[in-house]
Amino acid sequence: MSGRTGPSAVVVGAGIAGLTAATGLAARGYRVTVLEARDRVGGRTHGIEAAPGAWVDAGAAYLGDRHTELLALMAELGLKTTPTTMLGASRFALDPDPSADPGRAATRDGRFPPLNAVALGDLFEQLAELTAAVHPEAPWLTPDAERLDALTAADWAEQQLRHPDARLFFPLFLGEMTAADPADVSVLHLAFYLRSGGGLRYLNAFAGGAQQDRIAGGAHQVCERLAERLGPRVRLGEPVRAVHQDADAVTVHTAHGSHRADVAVLALPPLLADAIDFRPGLPVPRAGDRTARGCAVKVHLVYPEPVWRDHGLSGWSVNARGPLLSTVDDSPAEGRIGVLTGFVTGAEAHRFAALTARQQRAAAAEQAAQLFPMLPEPIDCHVTDWLNDPYSKGCYAALLGPGDWSRLGPTLTTPHGRVHWAGTETSTAYFGLMEGAIRSAYRVVAEVLARG
């Protein structure tokens, strides 16, 4: 395979990790082919044109000043940031009683909910202690890792959280941070996720935090511009079925043909990677029996303008009942329309995803109007169901359940012969974020070059 034309690589997956890896290898003389199952590039970034020339992020969206590799890549691609608008008061509908009037939401300055401050302070203190104890590069080496990895976040909350306000808020917080139901993730994964992302305070913050900015015009542009550079080397509509190796090469089989190369880079979520036929087989699977899909459905309600701002509201809300467990103002900077983005996460995502499109729109619009009574009828509604997306199997990232880190963690990035692994789930820095995806790609490029 190597020779006068240079070494070759097949990259599976045209998300941020795959395209960044492909670009890096191509720049170093590799003949690169990128195989993407979808009819678009972008992976778990996806842009929706909510109005002519006005794009919103249906997938990954936010970044902060610590996301240095993403910011550097954006600068190289000519992309700018736009601040996440958070001016004004927040709305909180935190009565879990189904008979309660959701229109009686509380309005508060800032984002701290109108719950018992001591109870929430104790919750955050316990989470901070767990986070500080995690081994940042090898979570399975964390002190008491076996116990923490066997315990679900739901079990931990049952044992540790005494005050009803802490018990109420914990799943809402977890859903916002990780798109997880507490029963789906281990305590070790929860603590690692917070540590990996820069800590609880940084991950949860807009100004000065991980949600400070968005990419002007949409995060999908990162992949589109990388793909433009690669040109015809990116092949869409080619889901990979099998990866077979022999002494000389690796062959990647799709529904449309086979691609033989010196190395393969698989930039796929673990659940997708495990569905591929590997020969020889993987010594350790990419996912376990308890590995779950990230439970996220994203809803964009489009209005003629962001009318909530005229009433001193930021568009931010937190809600004990769904479908929209939180909302945020994602209106384009140009101000031509108002976009209220709702996040449906955890167990609520499963319920919402089972509704018809008409039912989804009606439920989301009704709840938004209860939270923000000044709203007119939305002029449009876009629902992006990542939970049931066949080529993502969840978002923001895979949820590592009980036992996953202990069993799968040590081989997270270990090459399988000529097969190398990329993707945000393989990064112990900024796991689940765009920054983690890029860092995983740089690691893979270095690995491939090192093998010669």
Side-chain angles (χ1 to χ4, degrees):
M1 298 298 296
S2 300
R4 290 179 299 171
T5 56
S8 57
V10 174
V11 177
V12 180
I16 289 181
L19 291 173
T20 302
T23 301
L25 291 171
R28 290 160 177 84
Y30 275 73
R31 292 179 290 114
V32 173
T33 300
V34 180
L35 303 175
E36 169 56 47
R38 293 181 172 93
D39 61 1
R40 64 168 179 85
V41 299
R44 286 171 283 189
T45 64
H46 181 40
I48 292 176
E49 195 171 17
W55 293 81
V56 293
D57 289 303
Y62 303 110
L63 67 148
D65 57 0
R66 298 185 193 176
H67 300 166
T68 53
E69 300 296 351
L70 174 56
L71 288 166
L73 180 59
M74 288 171 54
E76 181 186 334
L77 296 173
L79 296 172
K80 307 289 187 181
T81 62
T82 185
T84 305
T85 302
M86 280 299 294
L87 299 175
S90 303
R91 296 279 282 167
F92 297 93
L94 296 175
D95 190 336
D97 184 350
S99 64
D101 178 9
R104 296 181 61 186
T107 302
R108 294 286 189 277
D109 292 332
R111 294 176 61 213
F112 197 86
L115 298 172
N116 186 286
V118 174
L120 294 196
D122 179 63
L123 165 62
F124 293 140
E125 189 173 299
Q126 291 190 68
L127 289 174
E129 290 177 359
L130 285 170
T131 301
V134 170
H135 192 299
E137 297 177 358
W140 55 94
L141 299 180
T142 297
D144 204 19
E146 185 174 347
R147 183 184 69 84
L148 294 174
D149 201 26
L151 194 67
T152 69
D155 293 334
W156 177 85
E158 181 69 25
Q159 295 173 11
Q160 300 296 326
L161 304 181
R162 302 303 177 206
H163 197 285
D165 282 5
R167 292 191 176 207
L168 169 68
F169 189 70
F170 177 65
L172 302 177
F173 169 81
L174 187 61
E176 180 193 347
M177 290 293 97
T178 68
D181 184 282
D184 285 339
V185 293
S186 72
V187 176
L188 183 61
H189 181 67
L190 167 59
F192 161 76
Y193 191 99
L194 297 176
R195 176 71 178 266
S196 170
L200 186 154
R201 186 181 297 275
Y202 183 76
L203 263 180
N204 193 42
F206 283 88
Q211 302 173 70
Q212 174 175 287
D213 296 312
R214 293 174 289 163
I215 299 175
H220 63 286
Q221 296 173 102
V222 174
C223 289
E224 289 182 354
R225 296 193 183 189
L226 288 172
E228 286 173 6
R229 292 183 173 185
L230 291 165
R233 289 173 284 191
V234 179
R235 303 170 65 104
L236 302 179
E238 287 215 36
V240 168
R241 309 300 188 200
V243 176
H244 297 167
Q245 302 183 62
D246 56 34
D248 301 316
V250 58
T251 304
V252 179
H253 300 276
T254 76
H256 303 293
S258 300
H259 304 267
R260 192 167 170 84
D262 292 301
V263 295
V265 174
L266 268 63
L268 299 175
L271 291 166
L272 282 181
D274 261 3
I276 293 172
D277 173 37
F278 289 94
R279 298 182 189 175
L282 298 178
V284 178
R286 302 300 294 167
D289 293 339
R290 298 291 298 273
T291 307
R293 306 178 183 206
C295 302
V297 179
K298 208 167 182 181
V299 180
H300 292 96
L301 293 164
V302 184
Y303 300 92
E305 58 182 325
V307 293
W308 49 88
R309 297 180 186 175
D310 296 335
H311 296 262
L313 298 174
S314 67
W316 172 260
S317 74
V318 177
N319 313 294
R321 287 179 285 139
L324 310 181
L325 298 179
S326 63
T327 64
V328 67
D329 183 346
D330 269 345
S331 305
E334 303 82 13
R336 284 172 286 173
I337 54 172
V339 178
L340 195 66
T341 298
F343 293 86
V344 190
T345 57
E348 191 62 44
H350 290 272
R351 289 189 285 268
F352 187 70
L355 301 177
T356 66
R358 178 174 294 184
Q359 290 171 329
Q360 289 175 338
R361 173 174 176 146
E366 179 183 4
Q367 185 179 11
Q370 291 168 339
L371 290 165
F372 305 97
M374 75 294 299
L375 287 177
E377 279 292 311
I379 58 177
D380 210 346
C381 175
H382 303 276
V383 176
T384 307
D385 179 3
W386 292 104
L387 183 65
N388 294 304
D389 187 303
Y391 298 123
S392 289
K393 290 189 180 293
C395 195
Y396 321 140
L399 305 175
L400 301 191
D404 278 349
W405 272 113
S406 300
R407 182 184 178 200
L408 310 176
T411 58
L412 192 70
T413 61
T414 304
H416 175 53
R418 295 175 179 270
V419 175
H420 296 255
W421 308 104
T424 192
E425 285 97 346
T426 70
S427 179
T428 53
Y430 302 101
F431 179 106
L433 305 181
M434 292 185 283
E435 178 74 7
I438 294 169
R439 294 191 183 206
S440 79
Y442 293 154
R443 171 187 50 76
V444 159
V445 169
E447 284 178 4
V448 171
L449 295 176
R451 72 181 294 147

